[in-house]
Amino acid sequence: MATYSGSKNTVELAIDPLITCKLCLTECSLQEMYEIRDCRCLYCEACVKQYLSVMIQEGNVLNITCPDAQCKKQGKFDAPEIEQLVSRSTFERYSRLRFQKEVDVDPNRMFCPQAGCETVCYVFYPSPEDKLKPISVECPQCGFEFCSVCKNKWHAIQSCDEVMSRGKAEDIGIPYSNIEDAQIKRCPVCHVPIERNDGCAQMMCKRCKHVFCWYCLASLDDDFLLRHYDKGPCKNKLGHSRASVIWHRTQVSAFSFIIIIFLMFVD
């Protein structure tokens, strides 16, 4: 019977499989790979760390998903996992931006607009239908009373449009509450004016990157498959086929991968 002398590392190395990272296309050993906890997709650990750093640097912190646009589960990175993979300063930025964005997209919470205050104020609406109507909000810290829609000092008698028309000239003629088919509306988060220039009802604000429905202004940030248009008052109002919109998102994701790979090599 044949015998082997010394270590068996040589045999193990010979049969140790190499795995291709789908981001950098480098063949890596299993020890160099990282498995995302939620979806169990594998990438080299260096790529995962770079991917998370880029996403956080760009402010995409509410819903960081698996880099693979074809991932069936659309796995998500949770905070403990992100903390394990990025630097302390990057994670601090992630935590700060995530909290800010969570408040921004929460209709029941908003930051006090008074300079230097930044206290989180809670908004209590009489009914769900009143969430798009101006409500008086009083900051518990500084006592400033402001409008829940335009964030100006509370105007009980005047409308938001009348208040804004006395302010910035570029805001004149761009109302806060438009009819359903209006060509210009405001982002529900940062209130910047947005013009709808095609038939798709899924909108993304260029200023704060918030994704929302043009008709009812509901958030679509976490609705990758656009189920919002399967039921309710916006049913079948997407304007484009669901496949074409998701394909566009996939193309954007692929472009992000290219940027990540480029950054890895220039570093």
Side-chain angles (χ1 to χ4, degrees):
M1 178 181 294
T3 59
Y4 294 99
S5 61
S7 171
K8 62 178 181 179
N9 289 344
T10 302
V11 177
E12 289 181 344
L13 288 174
I15 62 175
D16 187 27
L18 294 177
I19 304 172
T20 301
C21 172
K22 289 184 287 185
L23 284 178
C24 64
L25 303 181
T26 301
E27 291 188 336
C28 306
S29 66
L30 186 60
Q31 289 74 21
E32 296 175 295
M33 302 298 286
Y34 181 82
E35 182 181 83
I36 300 176
R37 296 173 186 173
D38 190 19
C39 59
R40 306 184 72 84
C41 288
L42 283 172
Y43 305 93
C44 75
E45 188 168 325
C47 275
V48 174
K49 290 180 177 180
Q50 189 67 47
Y51 169 72
L52 290 174
S53 297
V54 170
M55 292 295 103
I56 294 170
Q57 187 61 37
E58 292 182 347
N60 300 321
V61 296
L62 273 185
N63 189 23
I64 304 181
T65 60
C66 173
D68 187 357
Q70 304 300 322
C71 175
K72 294 181 179 180
K73 191 174 181 181
Q74 284 298 306
K76 298 179 182 180
F77 289 89
D78 58 20
E81 188 172 17
I82 294 172
E83 184 176 18
Q84 173 188 334
L85 292 164
V86 301
S87 66
R88 181 177 179 180
S89 60
T90 300
F91 184 71
E92 288 175 351
R93 173 180 172 81
Y94 164 81
S95 300
R96 183 177 67 255
L97 291 179
R98 183 176 176 84
F99 175 70
Q100 292 175 350
K101 287 183 177 291
E102 284 176 342
V103 174
D104 285 340
V105 300
D106 185 351
N108 297 109
R109 291 187 296 170
M110 55 189 62
F111 290 103
C112 174
Q114 190 80 316
C117 185
E118 297 184 353
T119 300
V120 176
C121 304
Y122 290 85
V123 188
F124 302 98
Y125 297 97
S127 66
E129 293 76 22
D130 292 324
K131 288 186 177 181
L132 297 178
K133 298 178 181 179
I135 298 291
S136 171
V137 183
E138 183 174 346
C139 174
Q141 182 66 28
C142 69
F144 181 62
E145 187 180 9
F146 61 95
C147 173
S148 62
V149 175
C150 67
K151 306 299 190 297
N152 283 290
K153 185 177 180 180
W154 175 240
H155 46 89
I157 301 177
Q158 293 180 305
S159 67
C160 294
D161 300 326
E162 291 172 332
V163 172
M164 293 302 295
S165 68
R166 302 199 313 267
K168 299 178 181 179
E170 62 267 25
D171 284 323
I172 299 177
I174 305 175
Y176 274 86
S177 54
N178 279 357
I179 60 174
E180 183 178 277
D181 294 325
Q183 292 185 338
I184 299 178
K185 294 186 179 181
R186 293 178 181 271
C187 170
V189 171
C190 68
H191 303 294
V192 66
I194 296 176
E195 182 177 8
R196 184 187 180 198
N197 53 16
D198 59 35
C200 185
Q202 177 204 238
M203 308 297 295
M204 174 183 284
C205 176
K206 291 184 178 180
R207 181 179 179 183
C208 69
K209 308 303 182 184
H210 178 57
V211 183
F212 62 97
C213 171
W214 178 258
Y215 293 107
C216 68
L217 304 182
S219 173
L220 302 177
D221 283 325
D222 296 325
D223 189 6
F224 185 85
L225 296 178
L226 301 174
R227 299 299 187 192
H228 174 76
Y229 298 98
D230 290 340
K231 57 184 179 180
C234 299
K235 182 178 180 180
N236 298 327
K237 288 186 176 182
L238 179 57
H240 286 302
S241 70
R242 192 194 316 273
S244 68
V245 177
I246 293 178
W247 172 249
H248 174 71
R249 287 192 183 187
T250 303
Q251 295 298 96
V252 172
S253 299
F255 181 70
S256 298
F257 299 161
I258 295 174
I259 294 176
I260 292 171
I261 295 172
F262 174 76
L263 291 175
M264 291 181 65
F265 282 102
V266 297
D267 286 344

